[in-house]
Amino acid sequence: MLTHIPFPILPAPPSWFPGHMLQFQRNLPQLLTRTDVVLELRDARLPLTSINRKFEGVLQTWRRERGAIPTPPPTGEAGPSALPATPRPTGSGLLCERIVVFNKRDLVPEWGIEPFKRAMAAKYPDQRVFFASWNKTRDIKALNELLVGIAKHTPHAPEMNVLVVGMPNVGKSTLLNALRNIGIAGPTPKALRTGAHPGITRSLSTRLKLSIDPLVYAWDSPGVMLPFLGKGESGAERGVKLALIAGIKEGLYDIDALASYLLYRLNVLDPISPAYLKILPPGTQPLTDVYEFLDILAKRLGMLRRGGIRDTARAAVWFVQWWRNEGGFVAAATEHAAVRGWGFDFQWDLANPSDSDKSAGAVAPSDATAVGSDKSQERPDEAVIQARMEACIERFERGVDGEEDDGSNVSKTQEKKQARTELLAKRKAKAERRWAKKVGGV
């Protein structure tokens, strides 16, 4: 068992915010005036990191303008079942629903889903939380029934319009294609182009019909990345996490950095029997040195360069791809993760209370993670897991607020642009005052 897991050295996060993302972000407020339901997709593997904070202010303004008032669940009912089955009444009489869909649920441990739903309901009572995998017919049917149910409870409206938003490569287009296939009888051709790389959808789609009776339409939208991922270790870790789920354009990150962080995270989740041991020779012990790990993996896979030198670069690419596909299922089924955390955004140590409640996506981690000698590897009950998750979400929110307060979420380029904008505004105001004075003195 590993007792000391060093945190890897990570590169500064790159900037990837092409023009189509900026254009959609600017058009979002106007688009919301025609929207009844916002379907916000996040990646279940990174339920906190895949939040686009730039959407929050716009969505809250939309809800205020429509008179939506967040209503906490009744006392003693904190789970998803406590959320209203029908749309909440709004002062304006306009439908205003926000559903947060955590896609790729089969890549996270099932034992954490219900505690996470309750933790989210306690923290964000105005949001519906839904877990789905686009390739699971049962999940798609349940989501379709949820949307149709909302539309049926607003009979005065001739149709319901759904806007799908989220970060790049969280599965928006794929999920919409699946919803359309379930909701429309008969063969339905694939309406939206999809792929494994981020940024395929570059503009707002035409309206797609998801249901005939009642009428439900949906728009697909471009994935929008944060303009700046943040300064320091927090920003560096946020960027590597998103790159691991292919949420950032391929090639912006060195593959060794991704492999190093992936090795670290799998060790943290299960220092006794990390998921990557499945792909190494039998009898291999857990490793913390990424170069030693890649050397062994390259030998196991027969990846050799001229002269018999092991091709660790190819092995690193294979390792990341393995985790995105098969390895995600292996990690989700790990036996000991419940005492260490859930996914890559939630970290705790039930054997070491002073080190508990860490959310690696919220604060800069220490140089190394010490692993407590947990006497019992039995899974804690759901109430304990929920409490740890709520603490992690709270820490994440404090970290985000802190970044906004100290300007850590603004790049130097953005600071220069803002300073120039303010300077031009001052010059314009000064010129207007001079002109007013001149005209007044004539």
Side-chain angles (χ1 to χ4, degrees), residues 51-73:
I51 297 174
N52 191 323
R53 301 185 301 277
K54 296 299 180 182
F55 290 154
E56 292 302 309
V58 179
L59 292 177
Q60 289 303 319
T61 300
W62 170 64
R63 292 181 61 78
R64 282 196 300 270
E65 290 176 347
R66 294 208 169 199
I69 301 174
T71 304

Side-chain angles (χ1 to χ4, degrees), residues 151 157-161 209-217:
E159 62 187 35
M160 187 177 81
N161 291 300
K209 187 180 292 184
L210 301 185
S211 171
I212 297 176
D213 185 20
L215 273 176
V216 178
Y217 293 93

Side-chain angles (χ1 to χ4, degrees), residues 150-306:
I150 293 174
K152 284 183 176 179
H153 281 92
T154 52
H156 60 278
E159 62 187 35
M160 187 177 81
N161 291 300
V162 179
L163 175 64
V164 182
V165 299
M167 281 195 172
N169 213 33
V170 291
K172 297 184 297 297
S173 301
T174 304
L175 190 67
L176 271 179
N177 281 331
L179 281 171
R180 175 179 166 84
N181 187 53
I182 288 290
I184 304 297
T188 53
K190 182 178 177 181
L192 300 171
R193 195 162 60 99
T194 60
H197 300 290
I200 290 180
T201 303
R202 299 179 64 87
S203 61
L204 191 71
S205 72
T206 55
R207 287 203 310 171
L208 298 178
K209 187 180 292 184
L210 301 185
S211 171
I212 297 176
D213 185 20
L215 273 176
V216 178
Y217 293 93
W219 288 287
D220 189 19
S221 67
V224 178
M225 179 56 64
L226 294 171
F228 181 61
L229 291 169
K231 299 175 182 176
E233 287 184 328
S234 293
E237 188 172 14
R238 185 177 293 123
V240 170
K241 284 182 177 182
L242 293 171
L244 276 174
I245 65 169
I248 293 180
K249 184 179 179 182
E250 202 79 23
L252 293 180
Y253 268 98
D254 179 74
I255 192 64
D256 286 349
L258 300 186
S260 180
Y261 183 78
L262 179 56
L263 182 71
Y264 165 79
R265 270 287 149 205
L266 294 178
N267 280 332
V268 167
L269 281 176
D270 189 353
I272 297 175
S273 181
Y276 60 77
L277 291 183
K278 304 286 185 181
I279 57 176
L280 296 182
T284 305
Q285 297 300 309
L287 302 164
T288 58
D289 187 313
V290 68
Y291 297 107
E292 180 184 3
F293 166 79
L294 292 176
D295 187 70
I296 295 174
L297 181 60
K299 180 181 179 181
R300 177 67 185 269
L301 298 174
M303 293 181 173
L304 303 176
R305 292 183 292 174
R306 185 174 299 176

Side-chain angles (χ1 to χ4, degrees), residues 26 412-430:
R26 287 174 174 172
K412 291 183 178 179
T413 301
Q414 290 172 317
E415 290 174 352
K416 291 179 181 179
K417 288 182 178 179
Q418 181 63 29
R420 178 166 177 77
T421 300
E422 293 175 356
L423 178 61
L424 292 176
K426 289 180 180 179
R427 288 179 178 176
K428 182 179 179 180
K430 187 176 181 179

